[in-house]
Amino acid sequence: MIRLFRLWRLTGRDLRLLWYALRHPGRPVWLWPAAFVLVAYALDPLNLAIPVLGLVDDFVLLPLALHWVLKLLPLDIRAGYVRRSLAR
C-alpha cells in the first residue's frame, strides 16, 4: 500500500513536469502525440466496462507509462523544470 502512495506522489510531480514540457519551446515533436495517447488511455471506455482492470490501469499502468514517457525527455527540459521548482 505504501508503494501505491509513493507512485501517486511521483505521478503528481510527473504531471507538473509534463505540463512544463508541453509549454517548453524546445519540446520534442513526439511529446504532444504521446500526451494525447496517455489522456486517451486514461479516458478509455474499458475502464467503465471492466472496473477491476480500470483500477489497475489508473493506479499502476498509467503512472508508469507517464513516468516512462517523461524519462525520454531531453535533459535540458528536465533540468529547467528542476531549476524552476527549486526557485519557488
Side-chain angles (χ1 to χ4, degrees):
M1 193 67 161
I2 292 173
R3 289 182 185 175
L4 188 62
F5 289 126
R6 286 182 187 163
L7 186 64
W8 269 101
R9 193 169 50 203
L10 178 68
T11 302
R13 267 184 263 144
D14 284 350
L15 287 173
R16 288 189 295 274
L17 174 57
L18 179 63
W19 182 246
Y20 174 80
L22 286 171
R23 295 179 298 144
H24 194 278
R27 71 181 169 271
V29 176
W30 54 264
L31 188 59
W32 271 105
F36 179 75
V37 167
L38 285 173
V39 169
Y41 186 74
L43 299 176
D44 185 16
L46 180 67
N47 289 344
L48 299 174
I50 307 170
V52 174
L53 291 179
L55 287 174
V56 171
D57 281 352
D58 293 341
F59 286 110
V60 178
L61 297 179
L62 196 57
L64 289 175
L66 173 64
H67 191 70
W68 179 75
V69 165
L70 294 177
K71 285 260 189 204
L72 298 175
L73 283 176
L75 192 57
D76 62 331
I77 294 177
R78 287 188 279 155
Y81 173 74
V82 169
R83 278 194 308 271
R84 187 179 139 240
S85 65
L86 289 177
R88 286 185 169 185

